[in-house]
Amino acid sequence: MADITRRLGWRHLRSAHTAHIRHHKRGRLVHDGRGLSFWYRSLSAALSEVPVDDRELAMAFHARTSDFQDVAVQATVTYRISDPAEAADRLDFSVDPDTGSWRGAPLEQIATLLTETAQQHTLDVLARTPLAVALVDGVASVRGSVAAGLAAEPRLPATGIEVVAVRVVAIRPEAEVERALRTPAREQIQQEADRATYERRAVAVERERAIAENELASQIELARREEQLIDQRGTNARREAEEKAAADGIRTETEAARKVRLAHADAEAARETGAARAEVQAAWLRVHDEAGPGTLHALAATRLAENLPRIESITLSPDVLTGLLTRLGRPEGGTRLERPEGGTRLERPEGGAGA
């Protein structure tokens, strides 16, 4: 919509570059072009504003297929006004000189023309197409038919309208039909899902079986190795017992041999000791046999004195001492008394032994 301002009975119009302005004054075309800006008087001016930009027209309508099924078609047509003068002559694009708003509804007329033309060609195509084919290939066929029909429509170029593009968004059946059509596909998808689930479960069961078999094989191998270990331990224990028995036998034999040797040595030592003692005893007896009775008495007294308890002091009367000295001073059997300086000593004959 053009931007119009008021100044002391004059009006100033300023349009966008996407709007074509036509200004007639007293039947003459004064201004004609895009993006104009000028002053005018509202009482003598006739203004028209034609948009020349691309416009999108969304349309939705119902159609019926060859098997009598209702479908909803959603499409979009892009168009523009390529000849503003022709469009202004054929359609009412006049604007109020005071407000700049359209007095009529030219764009609605163009939308009705495009929608009816597109719907006519769409109905013609779908009426010869079954529902299944329309849902699969209907979009392309409908788009081609609508584009060809709009291009061949004589009213559009006569009105200065050019169709830029045609797009068919969707072709949908009724809700019940759509659910019915979805059911086989859903059942198939569900079957595929169930099959995949079963296959996954089968794979899982197979893997579990393989794992169980591996565990069982591992347990069998472990038991076999434990059996081998037990056998080896028994063999080692028997070998150790045999080695220990052999070592004990060798040690026993060695100890017995050592004891035999010791016994022989002890016997030999005993024999030699007995022989030596026998010789000593024989020599002792020979000495005693050769010694006289007095000497033997003296030796007996000496030995007796050695074996008596310790006597701290002894008192001898002169009579006893005189008698003893008289007896001891009497020479007998080769025994002699000597009186060296400092005391009296009794000597046994050479080679003698005391009794």
Side-chain angles (χ1 to χ4, degrees):
M1 186 176 65
D3 183 12
I4 297 177
T5 58
R6 300 178 182 182
R7 292 291 186 275
L8 300 176
W10 288 84
R11 304 290 185 272
H12 183 270
L13 182 143
R14 183 176 61 189
S15 64
H17 68 284
T18 57
H20 188 94
I21 302 298
R22 292 173 61 85
H23 175 209
H24 290 80
K25 182 179 180 180
R26 296 187 180 92
R28 290 184 306 106
L29 183 61
V30 181
H31 297 93
D32 187 12
R34 298 170 59 178
L36 298 180
S37 178
F38 54 87
W39 291 90
Y40 66 92
R41 286 187 177 273
S42 61
L43 295 178
S44 60
L47 301 176
S48 297
E49 182 181 6
V50 182
V52 294
D53 57 338
D54 291 351
R55 291 183 172 266
E56 299 284 342
L57 176 61
M59 55 186 69
F61 45 84
H62 290 274
R64 179 169 293 183
T65 61
S66 61
D67 48 0
F68 305 102
Q69 298 295 327
D70 291 336
V71 293
V73 181
Q74 296 178 359
T76 302
V77 176
T78 303
Y79 71 94
R80 66 169 172 262
I81 298 175
S82 57
D83 191 351
E86 190 70 24
D89 292 340
R90 299 293 298 270
L91 299 174
D92 185 11
F93 282 96
S94 62
V95 296
D96 189 344
D98 292 328
T99 61
S101 59
W102 278 317
R103 291 177 175 176
L107 296 182
E108 293 181 2
Q109 295 177 2
I110 295 175
T112 301
L113 175 61
L114 293 175
T115 301
E116 290 179 354
T117 303
Q119 185 175 5
Q120 177 183 356
H121 293 283
T122 300
L123 294 176
D124 184 49
V125 171
L126 293 179
R128 300 190 302 270
T129 305
L131 177 62
V133 178
L135 294 178
V136 176
D137 301 326
V139 173
S141 60
V142 170
R143 181 176 61 248
S145 177
V146 170
L150 292 176
E153 176 64 34
R155 293 181 57 189
L156 296 180
T159 315
I161 300 173
E162 179 183 357
V163 176
V164 178
V166 175
R167 297 188 302 276
V168 177
V169 180
I171 298 177
R172 291 184 176 178
E174 294 180 348
E176 294 80 3
V177 177
E178 187 173 6
R179 283 194 298 270
L181 293 175
R182 287 178 179 178
T183 300
R186 288 183 177 179
E187 290 295 333
Q188 184 177 0
I189 293 173
Q190 186 63 38
Q191 291 177 3
E192 294 294 333
D194 295 340
R195 185 179 299 108
T197 302
Y198 297 151
E199 291 178 357
R200 184 171 62 254
R201 290 180 179 177
V203 171
V205 170
E206 182 66 22
R207 290 180 179 176
E208 291 179 358
R209 185 185 62 80
I211 292 173
E213 290 180 355
N214 292 334
E215 291 179 353
L216 181 60
S218 300
Q219 292 178 0
I220 294 174
E221 181 65 19
L222 181 60
R224 186 178 63 81
R225 293 188 178 182
E226 287 181 354
E227 182 179 0
Q228 293 178 356
L229 179 60
I230 292 172
D231 294 341
Q232 187 64 35
R233 286 178 177 176
T235 303
N236 294 339
R238 288 192 299 271
R239 185 178 300 173
E240 183 179 0
E242 292 174 357
E243 295 292 336
K244 186 176 181 181
D248 291 341
I250 295 173
R251 185 165 53 253
T252 302
E253 292 177 359
T254 304
E255 184 68 20
R258 185 181 65 82
K259 289 182 178 181
V260 169
R261 288 195 300 270
L262 289 176
H264 286 300
D266 291 342
E268 186 65 25
R271 284 194 299 271
E272 292 179 359
T273 302
R277 288 180 179 178
E279 291 179 0
V280 171
Q281 189 69 25
W284 177 265
L285 291 176
R286 285 194 302 269
V287 171
H288 282 72
D289 188 36
E290 293 175 358
T295 302
L296 296 177
H297 291 165
L299 292 176
T302 303
R303 182 63 57 85
L304 179 60
E306 290 177 357
N307 294 326
L308 287 176
R310 182 178 178 181
I311 301 173
E312 297 292 337
S313 63
I314 186 171
T315 303
L316 297 177
S317 63
D319 297 334
V320 176
L321 181 60
T322 301
L324 289 175
L325 290 176
T326 301
R327 291 182 180 182
L328 291 175
R330 190 180 299 169
E332 292 180 359
T335 303
R336 56 194 179 96
L337 294 174
E338 295 182 359
R339 295 180 179 270
E341 294 182 359
T344 303
R345 182 179 62 183
L346 178 63
E347 295 183 356
R348 64 179 66 175
E350 187 178 353

